[in-house]
């Protein structure tokens, strides 16, 4: 039986097993996908298990997407560009790290038919998923990418990798067409980002990487201001579908059951 695993810390909340086990069954693949909470000192042994074919594939989530890289033999172009890996497997005897968050974000934005080209984008936050979002926005030809983070030096570190990034002071809200909440603020239903969007033109796009809760206070604010809103559910589904395709060579069908699995 094939074995797959998502690792992170914490990992209890991860819905990756639900979605991958559903697709394994649907595609008649004999396998199991589980989750495992790890500490940094467990990474080396785990990768050894992939090398020995004891584990067929890994998904990696916060906080290991960068930390895992020294243990790998090769990186895909997108993993290299973002220095962030979320999917791992053995390919021709080499352990390869992929990044499907870039493609996941891109497909989610295309799914809602938003045209990023020539748009001004504001990203809030500088955590693990942000390099993937910036890379996807660049691929989609955004005109400007601005970024603010509560802790400014983390934003400045990102500018070392993405030189065109414009760093904005925390609390300032520059004119934008699309704003992305990439912070973890919103995971708790009462969380509220202390940012004032009321002076921004109406009809902008408010995107939240968070999908549980479905509608964060950030998205509620966006809606009130007459904006288009979208949560991170589609991004999560597409990054999983792209990982499934890397491991199994099959692009899984995203049906209604998949959507419902994530509404728990
Ligand atoms: P990591 O930083 O380990 O990658 P993450 O969950 O990917 O973790 O990122 C957390 C992001 O949410 C950070 O940008 C964090 O801001 P700081 O760098 O200042 O910590 C941001 N964040 C979390 N809670 C926040 C809050 N209440 N207000 C503003 N930003 C917040």
């Amino acid at each position: 039986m094939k074995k797959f695993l998502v690792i992170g810390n914490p990992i209890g909340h991860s819905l990756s097993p639900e979605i991958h086990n559903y697709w394994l069954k649907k595609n008649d693949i004999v396998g199991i996908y589980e989750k495992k909470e790890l500490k940094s000192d467990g990474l080396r042994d785990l990768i050894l298990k992939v090398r020995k074919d004891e584990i067929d594939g890994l998904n990696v989530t916060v906080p290991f997407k960068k930390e895992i890289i020294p243990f790998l033999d090769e990186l895909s172009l997108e993993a290299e560009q973002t220095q962030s890996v979320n999917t791992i497997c053995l390919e021709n005897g080499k352990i390869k790290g992929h990044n499907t968050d870039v493609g996941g974000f891109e497909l989610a934005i295309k799914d809602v038919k938003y045209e990023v080209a020539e748009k001004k984008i504001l990203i809030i936050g500088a955590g693990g998923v942000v390099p993937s979002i910036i890379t996807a926005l660049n691929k989609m030809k955004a005109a400007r990418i601005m970024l603010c983070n509560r802790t400014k030096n983390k934003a400045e570190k990102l500018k070392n990798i993405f030189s065109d990034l414009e760093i904005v002071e925390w609390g300032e809200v520059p004119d934008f067409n699309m704003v992305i909440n990439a912070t973890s603020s919103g995971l708790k239903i009462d969380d509220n980002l202390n940012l004032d969007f009321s002076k921004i033109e109406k009809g902008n796009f408010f995107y939240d990487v968070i999908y549980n809760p479905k509608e964060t206070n950030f998205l509620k604010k966006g809606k009130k201001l007459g904006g288009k809103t979208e949560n991170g559910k589609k991004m999560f589904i597409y990054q999983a579908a792209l990982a499934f395709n890397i491991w199994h060579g099959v692009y899984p069908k995203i049906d209604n059951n998949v959507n419902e699995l994530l509404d728990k």
Side-chain angles (χ1 to χ4, degrees):
M1 180 188 300
K2 292 197 166 199
K3 191 169 173 197
F4 302 87
L5 209 57
V6 56
I7 58 159
N9 198 338
I11 198 65
H13 64 282
S14 174
L15 292 174
S16 290
E18 270 76 0
I19 198 167
H20 278 277
N21 284 322
Y22 174 74
W23 282 332
L24 284 169
K25 228 187 218 163
K26 273 266 158 190
N27 290 281
D28 295 320
I29 298 167
V30 183
I32 184 156
Y33 185 114
E34 294 172 324
K35 52 186 164 193
K36 190 175 168 75
E37 189 165 298
L38 268 195
K39 296 210 178 86
S40 300
D41 60 9
L43 295 177
R44 184 180 297 277
D45 278 357
L46 194 73
I47 294 297
L48 204 62
K49 286 191 176 162
V50 179
R51 208 178 279 290
K52 290 196 280 190
D53 251 344
E54 289 168 23
I55 296 174
D56 297 89
L58 284 178
N59 273 148
V60 182
T61 186
V62 177
F64 300 127
K65 288 184 180 187
K66 188 177 171 67
E67 211 178 324
I68 196 82
I69 292 178
F71 302 103
L72 311 177
D73 301 326
E74 291 182 343
L75 295 181
S76 71
L77 177 66
E78 277 155 355
E80 184 74 53
Q81 282 171 338
T82 54
Q83 287 298 298
S84 169
V85 164
N86 78 329
T87 304
I88 293 172
C89 55
L90 196 63
E91 286 177 32
N92 305 319
K94 299 231 161 106
I95 300 200
K96 184 157 178 181
H98 295 263
N99 176 317
T100 69
D101 290 328
V102 175
F105 181 77
E106 207 178 340
L107 288 172
I109 299 303
K110 288 193 174 143
D111 190 315
V112 297
K113 301 192 167 43
Y114 185 76
E115 183 63 65
V116 165
E118 305 305 323
K119 298 282 174 31
K120 288 173 283 187
I121 319 281
L122 173 64
I123 300 173
I124 307 167
V129 75
V130 170
S132 302
I133 291 178
I134 296 172
T135 302
L137 290 170
N138 278 330
K139 277 180 78 182
M140 291 186 277
K141 308 262 181 278
R144 291 171 61 189
I145 306 176
M146 301 166 279
L147 183 144
C148 61
N149 192 51
R150 187 179 58 177
T151 312
K152 195 177 175 187
N153 79 332
K154 278 204 219 160
E156 279 161 352
K157 275 193 188 144
L158 280 168
K159 191 168 165 67
N160 292 336
I161 312 173
F162 302 99
S163 55
D164 291 341
L165 201 60
E166 299 172 40
I167 307 300
V168 175
E169 289 296 323
W170 183 254
E172 270 178 32
V173 177
D175 189 31
F176 61 78
N177 305 114
M178 175 186 188
V179 58
I180 300 167
N181 176 32
T183 74
S184 47
S185 167
L187 285 172
K188 291 194 213 94
I189 195 78
D190 295 332
D191 286 349
N192 220 328
L193 280 170
N194 223 352
L195 297 173
D196 180 10
F197 299 110
S198 62
K199 293 185 185 64
I200 300 300
E201 266 178 57
K202 296 239 176 310
N204 293 311
F205 185 18
F206 285 70
Y207 183 92
D208 204 321
V209 171
I210 294 171
Y211 63 88
N212 185 14
K214 270 188 209 169
E215 195 175 56
T216 56
N217 279 326
F218 168 79
L219 291 185
K220 283 189 185 132
K221 259 190 214 173
K223 219 180 226 176
K224 250 193 195 156
L225 292 168
K228 174 184 172 76
T229 62
E230 183 69 25
N231 71 21
K233 182 168 157 178
K234 289 195 168 107
M235 177 181 179
F236 180 73
I237 294 174
Y238 282 121
Q239 67 73 30
L242 293 168
F244 193 91
N245 187 44
I246 288 171
W247 294 329
H248 308 291
V250 181
Y251 193 80
K253 192 159 182 271
I254 299 169
D255 59 21
N256 271 341
N257 292 332
V258 173
N259 279 296
E260 281 167 18
L261 281 172
L262 300 184
D263 284 339
K264 286 184 173 176

